[in-house]
């Protein structure tokens, strides 16, 4: 079966689970789908687990009896048994970086064409003379932020929201956003400006968007 067929089959068979087993299984499903293993192998594994659980349910056994009381440890053991897969995907990196890049150019072009003249007219703010080089930092921060969010979602699947999650995952995520903003605030006047006309920045943004759509139209990156 192809991946889509396996996902559809999983969705249908999952309806046969009772409430308790379904809650247990769906936590495993989220954890495994967010893990750094190939999508096809993940869906095959999820179907195998589901079929095993359905048979056990018919025999009157619960998910805890089959897979244990620590589903996170069980899932992590499964991930480790799949072999070593890098949590960093070059495809995902390029996909997210590309989005950040064309959004940055589009934002710069629209801002300087539409908003900057209004700010100059009504608040007497100076015109921007070009594109800030900080635009190129935005895609990098997007990549790190998305990876942190995915890591947080996977780790928070089996634990309640509390201090451990707050300090362990929200704090690094906030760090990714706040520190660059603080650095930018103090050193923004030192950053070089690229003498690029606003209309050209907008055009580059549109071209990058078209290229991105064409490159990743049929590519699975998550």
């Amino acid at each position: 079966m192809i991946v889509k067929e396996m996902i559809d089959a999983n969705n249908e068979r999952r309806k046969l689970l009772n409430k308790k087993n379904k809650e247990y299984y769906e936590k495993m499903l989220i954890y495994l789908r967010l893990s750094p293993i190939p999508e096809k192998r993940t869906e095959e594994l999820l179907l195998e687990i589901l079929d095993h659980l359905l048979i056990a349910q018919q025999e009157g056994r619960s998910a805890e009896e089959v897979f244990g009381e620590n589903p996170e440890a069980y899932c992590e053991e499964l991930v480790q048994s799949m072999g070593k897969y890098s949590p960093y995907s070059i495809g995902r990196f390029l996909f997210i970086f590309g989005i950040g890049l064309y959004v940055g150019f589009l934002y710069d072009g629209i801002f300087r064409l539409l908003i900057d003249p209004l700010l100059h007219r009504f608040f007497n703010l100076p015109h921007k003379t070009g594109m800030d080089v900080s635009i190129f930092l935005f895609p990098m921060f997007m990549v790190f932020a998305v990876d942190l969010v995915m890591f947080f979602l996977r780790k928070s699947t089996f634990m309640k929201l509390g201090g451990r999650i707050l300090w362990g995952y929200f704090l690094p995520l906030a760090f990714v956003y706040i520190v660059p903003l603080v650095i930018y605030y103090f050193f923004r006047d030192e950053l070089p400006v690229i003498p690029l006309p606003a209309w050209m920045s907008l055009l580059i943004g549109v071209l990058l968007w078209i290229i991105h759509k064409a490159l990743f139209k049929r590519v699975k990156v998550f």
Side-chain angles (χ1 to χ4, degrees):
M1 285 192 292
I2 62 174
V3 171
K4 185 180 184 305
E5 290 173 343
M6 286 189 283
I7 292 174
D8 291 339
N10 191 305
N11 292 337
E12 288 300 316
R13 295 181 200 175
R14 207 158 68 241
K15 296 175 183 178
L16 300 175
L17 294 172
N18 60 42
K19 183 179 179 181
K20 191 174 182 181
N21 285 343
K22 187 177 182 181
E23 289 177 356
Y24 186 104
Y25 175 78
E26 287 183 343
K27 287 181 179 180
M28 297 175 72
L29 180 146
I30 293 172
Y31 188 95
L32 290 173
R33 283 182 175 170
L34 290 173
S35 296
I37 54 179
E39 184 184 31
K40 189 173 188 296
R41 186 66 191 100
T42 299
E43 296 306 325
E44 289 172 346
L45 189 60
L46 286 170
L47 276 180
E48 291 174 11
I49 294 172
L50 180 55
D51 289 340
H52 190 40
L53 181 55
L54 286 170
I55 293 172
Q57 182 176 278
Q58 290 177 346
E59 297 172 350
R61 292 185 293 157
S62 67
E64 286 86 353
E65 292 177 290
V66 178
F67 304 111
E69 296 182 358
N70 190 347
E72 181 179 7
Y74 180 83
C75 288
E76 191 56 37
E77 187 178 335
L78 286 176
V79 172
Q80 295 297 327
S81 69
M82 295 295 101
K84 292 185 177 180
Y85 294 99
S86 172
Y88 306 103
S89 165
I90 186 64
R92 185 171 73 246
F93 175 88
L94 292 175
F95 178 80
I96 301 169
F97 186 88
I99 291 176
L101 197 59
Y102 74 67
V103 167
F105 274 97
L106 290 173
Y107 165 79
D108 177 71
I110 293 172
F111 181 88
R112 286 195 284 146
L113 284 173
L114 301 178
I115 301 175
D116 187 54
L118 295 177
L119 293 176
H120 177 73
R121 179 177 179 181
F122 294 105
F123 299 99
N124 200 31
L125 295 178
H127 281 299
K128 293 186 67 176
T129 58
M131 185 182 73
D132 291 336
V133 74
S134 59
I135 290 291
F136 295 102
L137 300 178
F138 177 66
M140 292 296 299
F141 299 142
M142 275 189 65
V143 173
F144 295 139
V146 169
D147 276 339
L148 274 175
V149 167
M150 291 182 69
F151 181 76
F152 161 75
L153 290 174
R154 185 170 70 252
K155 288 298 183 181
S156 64
T157 302
F158 297 109
M159 62 178 72
K160 294 181 179 179
L161 187 63
R164 181 181 173 187
I165 296 178
L166 179 63
W167 291 105
Y169 306 114
F170 277 135
L171 194 60
L173 186 60
F175 182 82
V176 169
Y177 283 106
I178 294 173
V179 170
L181 289 176
V182 172
I183 294 174
Y184 174 74
Y185 177 79
F186 285 105
F187 294 98
R188 64 187 186 278
D189 294 333
E190 305 297 326
L191 293 175
V193 174
I194 301 174
L196 189 70
W199 66 267
M200 188 175 291
S201 184
L202 187 62
L203 178 61
I204 291 173
V206 172
L207 291 175
L208 287 173
W209 173 74
I210 294 172
I211 293 171
H212 187 275
K213 292 283 286 184
L215 287 177
F216 293 98
K217 186 176 181 180
R218 299 183 181 276
V219 178
K220 200 74 177 178
V221 295
F222 289 98

